[in-house]
Structures are given as C-alpha cells and as structure tokens.
Amino acid sequence: MSNNSAVGIHDLSFATTRYVLPHAALAEYNGTEIGKYHIGIGQRSMSVPAADEDIVTLGAAAAAPIIARHGNDRIRTVVFATESSIDQAKAAGIYVHSLLGLQSACRVVELKQACYGATAALQFAIGLVRRDPDQQVLVIASDVSKYELDSPGEATQGAAAVALLVSADPALVRIENASGLFTADVMDFWRPNYRDAALVDGQESVQAYLQAVEGAWKDYGQQGGRSFEDFAAFCYHQPFTKMAYKAHRHLLNHVGLVDTDKDDVERAIGQTVAYNAVIGNSYTASVYLGLAALLDQAEDLTDRAIGFLSYGSGSVAEFFAGTVVPGYQAHLRSEANLDAIARRKQVTYAEYRELHERSFPTDGGDYSTPTETTGPFRLAGLSGHKRIYQTR
Ligand code: COA
C-alpha cells in the first residue's frame, strides 16, 4: 500500500441516552428567555443518561451495530476516547471489548485530550491501518457532558457515543494526509480528578476555540492543505451548535472572505448541526455527530471535500479534510440515527435534577442501579469498587 492509498471511515454509528430534557423545561425553571437557548446558543434539548447508563454502555451500544455488520476478525485495536473517564487506570474500552465479544488478539487503550481525543484516535488509527491495511481499528468516542446545576454551562450539557470503523478502502469518507495542528496552554475548561462536573470559563473557551481555529487552519495551509473554496461543508466541534457558526464566520474573516452572505454560511454548516442541537454537547463525539448529520441529510456529497475542525479545551485543535466516497449513501445508518434520538423519554426538570445529583457510593459496598435504560447494555451496579455491566 502506498502512502496515497485511501484510508478512512468505513462505518459510523452512534448511540445516545434513555432520557432527554427539552431546553423549554430548563428555561421555565430558571426564567431564561427561550430565545437564548434556541437561537443564542442553538440548542433545543439535551440527552440525559439514566442511572444505569455511562460512557461504557453508550460506547458499546454505538459500536454493536458496526460489529454486527462487519464482524470483528480484522479489529486488532480499539481506541476509546473520552473526557468523562470512569477509572484512572483501566481503559473503558476493555469493558466494551468484553461486552461486544471482541477477539483477545487486540490492543485496547483510552485517550484523553478534552473534546479533541477522538480526532487523535482517528489519526492514530489511520497510521495503524497504513502499516497493515488488512487490519481495522474501532474508534469509540463516548462522553457525558456535565456542568454544575444553575451554571451557564448547564444549558450545554448532553451525552452520546460515536463509533467509527477505520479501514483501508473506506465506504464513507477518505481522510486526507494534510493536517493542521495547534496547541496552546489555556485554562478554559478542565475537570480535576476529584470533581464530577467540569470547571469552565465559558467566554474564555469561546475565544480560545476561535484562536485555535485560526492556528490550525494556518498550519493546514503550510502543510499543503486544500484551499477554502474546495470544501462543500465544514464539520466543527459543537459544544453548542451556535459555536460552529461563530467558528466558521471567524474562519471566513481570517481567509479574507466577508461573512455577509448568510446562505453561504448556512450551506457550509446548516446540515451538520441537526443531531447536536437535540443531543447537546457530546464532547469527543460531537464533531463526528456533525459528520453523521451531514451525510444523512445532504443530497449528494460524492467526491466532495469536507473540512473537519476538532477542538479540545486546554487546548489542542486539528483541521483536516475528508472526501466522500462514491456509493456512501448505501452504508449510512440514517434511520437508526433518527430513531436513537426519537426514542428518548422526556424527563421533567425535577427528574433531570435528581439524575444530575445522583452519584455512586465510594465505600466499595454493593449497590445496584434501577433498571431504566432500554439500550442493549446496562450498568447494573457497583460491587467491591467494580462496575458491573449486563448485556440484554
Ligand atoms: N434571544 C436570542 N439570543 C439571545 C437571547 C435571546 N433572548 N439572549 C441571549 N442571546 C444570545 C447572546 O446574545 C449570545 O449570543 P452571542 O454569543 O452571539 O453574543 C448567546 O445568546 C449566549 O449568551 P451569553 O450571555 O454569552 O450566555 P452565557 O453567559 O450563558 O454563556 C456559554 C454561554 C456558551 C459561554 C455557556 O453556556 C458556557 O459556559 N458553556 C460551556 C462552555 C462551552 O461550551 N464552551 C465552548 C467552547 S469549547
């Protein structure tokens, strides 16, 4: 295989939570004008995990349809990207490996760098597949985004997992070699080990994100990347969907194009926000939920270039491109994607608040969770400091 052979995303599947809270319920509780949520930040509802769901059950639920379709004979690596890790030592992907019955001849590892982690996983996966094109890599991005109750970040919570099967001759999107990178040491968002909810300086994080877009794009050009006009659409990391619009306008101004034409911006971003607007921030998964929404909704993207901007607070960003493979429509999971969103059960604000404040005991005792999820996997409880999972 030469360095120019196609490697990329062969399959994409996602899962989200049992419950959903509409922003209308949050607004009614805290007195916020609903326009701030629906228009100002571009969010309609947020996925809320049930007591028996976590990043493992979501990740396994996202990946199971991929294994069902492609088998697991060629998967020798699983990379699990998350910033809502459940253990300081053991990779969450090992539980998923077990729940999915993957072969023992497999390496499994967890990756962390805020919302950017899944993009690092994708790039590392491409490197492994280039070394041996017979192998496939399962990349799982799974996160529960949790901020303090009554904080500005509360409206941007969410949860979901995306699974990507990375292989040679991909059926969906070929990932190109040129990549623009940017790292800066900023404290815009972080979560110390002793905290459940993230700490964030919201306004600072928006500015840090925009700076990173500029930096990653600049490096992308220096690495021989495509010109701005080549792209049919742009998938940005979406902590809230309005951020994609802010980022794109910033990039337009940076490349010397004035963002007066609203239709142009809408064409570039509009079809990438549908899933994130109703799921909320899914951290590492969000940029790939943007891709899922775009592929599911766009009329025909065959051979068109898509720009990806992945940002993880702290901060690392990467800009790269993918080209859509002829025949990709036959491999999409559009119906299952819509179903995952539609089948969530609406909770009241009071129910959401109770779920938010629930935390696991830390005494090592036995504790079982109520059966709430209807997903294929559930977190049954804790015993002797161990998480116990069940397959349905
Ligand atoms: N109708 C329409 N728009 C309204 C509105 C109304 N009634 N009321 C407010 N808005 C707009 C504001 O003008 C603002 O738009 P702008 O950003 O284009 O200026 C937007 O809604 C948000 O208002 P703001 O006052 O900035 O909200 P906030 O102080 O609650 O903070 C975040 C918003 C996103 C910073 C906050 O939710 C947060 O901290 N989120 C977590 C961190 C995050 O997601 N960071 C992103 C980078 S990773």
Side-chain angles (χ1 to χ4, degrees), residues 33-37 39-41 115 147 152-156 188-189 200-203 205-206 209 237 239-240 242-243 246 281 311 313:
E33 160 66 39
I34 192 65
K36 174 170 172 179
Y37 294 151
I39 299 159
I41 61 169
C115 303
Y147 295 99
E154 184 180 18
T156 64
D188 57 330
F189 169 109
V200 64
D201 181 336
Q203 304 303 342
S205 74
V206 170
Y209 184 133
H237 166 52
F240 51 97
K242 182 81 173 287
M243 190 65 223
K246 281 180 191 283
N281 193 358
Y311 173 76
S313 290

Side-chain angles (χ1 to χ4, degrees), residues 51-52 358-370 372 378-388:
D52 53 351
R358 195 175 284 180
S359 64
F360 283 126
T362 54
D363 60 4
D366 285 0
Y367 169 77
S368 53
T369 53
E372 293 179 356
R378 63 180 296 270
L379 170 60
L382 285 183
S383 176
H385 294 289
K386 296 172 197 143
R387 286 188 183 224
I388 312 296

Side-chain angles (χ1 to χ4, degrees), residues 9 29 32 34 42 45 50 91 97 105 117 125 135 153 162 200 232 251-252 289 307 317 321 328 334 366-367 381 389:
I9 301 170
Y29 167 80
T32 298
I34 192 65
S45 59
H97 176 276
Q135 294 187 24
V162 169
V200 64
L251 191 54
L252 276 168
L289 279 181
Y328 74 98
S334 316
D366 285 0
Y367 169 77
Y389 293 100

Side-chain angles (χ1 to χ4, degrees), residues 38-373:
H38 286 177
I39 299 159
I41 61 169
Q43 292 304 127
R44 316 286 307 188
S45 59
M46 58 175 94
S47 282
V48 178
D52 53 351
E53 291 179 320
D54 68 2
I55 55 163
V56 168
T57 64
L58 290 172
I66 289 185
I67 305 304
R69 186 184 280 180
H70 304 276
N72 66 53
D73 305 0
R74 294 170 62 190
I75 298 174
R76 288 176 57 81
T77 304
V78 177
V79 190
F80 194 107
T82 188
E83 57 180 299
S84 30
S85 185
I86 53 160
D87 195 285
Q88 296 288 6
K90 178 164 174 156
I94 298 180
Y95 296 107
V96 174
H97 176 276
S98 162
L99 290 170
L100 298 179
L102 302 187
Q103 57 180 339
S104 58
C106 188
R107 61 169 77 80
V108 182
V109 72
E110 187 167 309
L111 271 191
K112 175 179 67 187
Q113 183 7 67
C115 303
Y116 166 74
T119 297
L122 173 63
Q123 295 293 2
F124 297 166
I126 289 168
L128 286 168
V129 174
R130 282 214 185 286
R131 196 171 74 170
D132 178 2
D134 287 336
Q135 294 187 24
Q136 297 176 325
V137 178
L138 180 63
V139 170
I140 298 172
S142 184
D143 268 305
V144 174
S145 158
K146 198 168 173 183
Y147 295 99
E148 298 275 10
L149 290 172
D150 308 319
S151 72
E154 184 180 18
T156 64
Q157 296 174 121
V162 169
L164 305 173
L165 186 64
V166 179
S167 81
D169 298 322
L172 296 179
V173 180
R174 298 186 197 109
I175 302 298
E176 299 180 358
N177 284 347
S179 222
L181 304 173
F182 181 82
T183 287
D185 184 3
V186 284
M187 292 304 281
D188 57 330
F189 169 109
W190 68 108
R191 184 170 67 86
N193 286 347
Y194 50 84
R195 283 184 62 98
D196 225 23
L199 294 163
V200 64
D201 181 336
Q203 304 303 342
E204 161 104 9
S205 74
V206 170
Q207 291 316 310
Y209 184 133
L210 296 178
Q211 240 198 345
V213 168
E214 218 175 295
W217 174 260
K218 190 165 160 233
D219 187 51
Y220 177 68
Q222 286 165 355
Q223 300 299 316
R226 288 173 178 269
S227 65
F228 191 86
E229 291 77 10
D230 277 1
F231 293 100
F234 291 79
C235 294
Y236 288 89
H237 166 52
Q238 294 171 29
F240 51 97
T241 63
K242 182 81 173 287
M243 190 65 223
Y245 289 87
K246 281 180 191 283
H248 195 62
R249 290 203 183 99
H250 190 81
L251 191 54
L252 276 168
N253 287 326
H254 177 71
V255 299
L257 299 165
V258 188
D259 69 84
T260 43
D261 189 345
K262 278 201 161 143
D263 289 348
D264 268 0
V265 177
E266 197 52 36
R267 257 193 301 280
I269 307 295
Q271 289 176 316
T272 71
V273 299
Y275 297 158
N276 287 291
V278 292
I279 285 175
N281 193 358
S282 56
Y283 289 161
T284 50
S286 119
V287 66
Y288 301 101
L289 279 181
L291 172 63
L294 174 68
L295 295 177
D296 284 351
Q297 294 178 99
E299 208 161 285
D300 185 11
L301 286 167
T302 303
D303 291 327
R304 301 299 308 274
I306 300 172
F308 293 85
L309 186 285
S310 179
Y311 173 76
S313 290
S315 73
V316 176
E318 179 161 351
F319 187 96
F320 61 101
T323 15
V324 180
V325 178
Y328 74 98
Q329 289 100 332
H331 304 274
L332 297 177
R333 299 177 177 277
S334 316
E335 221 172 285
N337 293 344
L338 288 175
D339 185 51
I341 288 166
R343 71 165 172 260
R344 294 171 302 171
K345 186 174 169 228
Q346 199 168 308
V347 285
T348 63
Y349 185 78
E351 287 165 337
Y352 145 78
R353 212 169 159 98
E354 197 203 318
L355 282 162
H356 189 284
E357 292 305 273
R358 195 175 284 180
S359 64
F360 283 126
T362 54
D363 60 4
D366 285 0
Y367 169 77
S368 53
T369 53
T371 303
E372 293 179 356
T373 182

